[in-house]
Amino acid sequence: MMIFLFEFLILSTEIFFGVYLTGKRHKGSGKKYAVLGGMAASAALLLCFYNSVSKSPALSAVILLAGILLISKILYPWDWKLLLYSGCSYLSALFLVDTVSYLLLCRYFSVPLVFWLIFSFCFRVLFYIALFTSNSLEGLLKNPRQYYKTLYGTSVAAFCGISIMLHLSFVRQDLKTPMIISILVLSVLFLRIVLGYTHVKYQREKELLATIEMQKELLEQNYTAVNRAYSQNARLFHDFHRHLEVIRQLTQKYNAPELSEYIDSVISPVRDISSMAWTGDQTVDYILNSRYAKAAEAGIPMEMNIEYPYNTNIKANDLCTILSNLLDNALEAAAAMSRQCPPDRCRITLTIRRIGNILVIKLENSSPQPSYTPDGELTSAKKGLLLHGWGMKNIESAVQKYEGMIQTAYADHIFQTTITMCFDGVKMDAAEP
């Protein structure tokens, strides 16, 4: 009677929690506890009577699995593969402990069967407590659930192998055969689990790469949209403040003081924006605006007249080399000149124009008298003079890529550099305006 009672408790809890774990995430599962408990108790009672007349633990294990799957399907409309994955994984873990503990306690140490049943029941109680109190253990069982359609075969193979181990442990008289088969089954099962884990890891990495690729595409689309809007704003602000100045003069001509005051309030922030370079090329704009800010900080007037062509084959790094070195040299020379003459005589003027397929960059800046080598090349003058040397050589190297040339001249304390470069137009994307 004691064995029957413990067997009933073990089977009823196995069925109850096996079904409950399957439908734990199902909406409204908490309202079905009473129904689930009654069905689990009824199924466990029938299985106990069957085990009393049957001597096949493997067949009992299959019937137990079928009962869990049937009750789960009735209560929760899950996919059969998910039910099979969940049920086989759950029972495999329990049967593995049962098999090992039975071989050790009953077959090796000859402990009475009732003590093994008590151990199995206590183990299940601890297992269920750990399962519902430990988030990591529950997550370990549920994380691969999204891959159950490809992993359910692993759980089915594990259930079959462990059920055979359990059957041999009960029906075989010699201990050696179950031990050997158990080692073989566990080895194969371990390899299958490793392969399943590798597959899950591969699937996750594949999904991660797909997500990163999608984010990359979205960023490229956003960049294209922002760049298109940036180019449109460049054209808008290029001469906008000049139009406002004309309107302001007209209001003064026709004696409209209130309108003139209103336009003055609008011109002030627009003039600040308009003083920046808006060429439509981010590299060019960054270099020009950063040097413009340095000139303003040093109190050196800087004027820019930019008409930069869109969509050329001139690379951004070459433009960076040319413009940054030119303007840095000009800033240093103008700063040196400001120490020798009144500040109002120091200035920097940059003009960029296109003539056909030729880009012309003309820079004029206040500068002390430069010095030349006997070969006619400018010498470096970091202390108080215009900085030429490696910077100018880098400029020459970049200009030569586009079949260009550099000309320099000096007169009345103004150093002038003129650069011409040939470029090829690049066709614009049809989607762009």
Side-chain angles (χ1 to χ4, degrees), residues 22-211:
T22 302
K24 187 177 180 183
R25 297 298 182 185
H26 191 272
K27 186 177 181 181
S29 61
K31 300 178 181 179
K32 301 178 181 179
Y33 289 162
V35 178
L36 174 57
M39 297 177 71
S42 301
L45 189 60
L46 293 175
L47 193 56
C48 286
F49 283 114
Y50 172 80
N51 290 336
S52 64
V53 297
S54 173
K55 301 300 182 181
S56 176
L59 186 58
S60 298
V62 173
I63 295 174
L64 176 62
L65 174 63
I68 292 177
L69 297 182
L70 182 61
I71 297 174
S72 299
K73 189 65 176 179
I74 294 173
L75 295 180
Y76 314 112
W78 286 101
D79 180 74
W80 274 111
K81 289 184 178 180
L82 175 59
L83 294 177
L84 197 60
Y85 165 77
S86 301
C88 289
S89 300
Y90 166 71
L91 291 180
S92 296
L94 296 179
F95 288 170
L96 179 61
V97 176
D98 290 344
T99 303
V100 175
S101 61
Y102 180 80
L103 288 173
L104 291 176
L105 296 177
C106 298
R107 299 295 302 276
Y108 188 78
F109 292 106
S110 300
V111 175
L113 183 62
V114 65
F115 291 103
W116 173 73
L117 291 174
I118 293 174
F119 169 82
S120 298
F121 178 76
C122 294
F123 167 76
R124 281 160 173 75
V125 172
L126 295 176
F127 175 77
Y128 298 138
I129 293 175
L131 187 63
F132 290 105
T133 58
S134 174
N135 294 329
S136 59
L137 181 58
E138 184 177 355
L140 181 63
L141 296 176
K142 294 185 178 181
N143 280 339
R145 178 164 292 181
Q146 56 182 322
Y147 311 106
Y148 71 89
K149 290 185 178 180
T150 54
L151 291 181
Y152 78 97
T154 300
S155 61
V156 173
F159 174 79
C160 294
I162 294 174
S163 297
I164 294 174
M165 289 168 50
L166 184 64
H167 179 84
L168 294 176
S169 300
F170 276 91
V171 301
R172 296 287 297 186
Q173 296 299 323
D174 60 309
L175 186 60
K176 184 177 180 180
T177 301
M179 286 292 188
I180 295 175
I181 294 178
S182 298
I183 294 174
L184 292 176
V185 170
L186 291 177
S187 300
V188 174
L189 180 60
F190 174 77
L191 293 176
R192 188 65 181 87
I193 292 175
V194 170
L195 290 176
Y197 173 77
T198 304
H199 176 77
V200 171
K201 187 176 180 180
Y202 168 75
Q203 287 293 106
R204 289 178 177 174
E205 291 179 352
K206 186 177 179 180
E207 293 172 359
L208 179 60
L209 290 175
T211 302

Side-chain angles (χ1 to χ4, degrees), residues 219-257:
L219 287 175
E220 289 179 353
Q221 293 175 3
N222 291 336
Y223 173 79
T224 302
V226 170
N227 194 43
R228 187 181 298 117
Y230 180 81
S231 300
Q232 292 173 350
N233 289 335
R235 300 172 186 177
L236 175 65
F237 282 105
H238 185 265
D239 292 323
F240 186 59
H241 71 289
R242 295 183 176 90
H243 298 311
L244 288 178
E245 289 286 357
V246 172
I247 296 174
R248 182 176 180 277
Q249 292 176 5
L250 291 175
T251 58
Q252 293 177 348
K253 179 179 179 181
Y254 292 101
N255 194 20

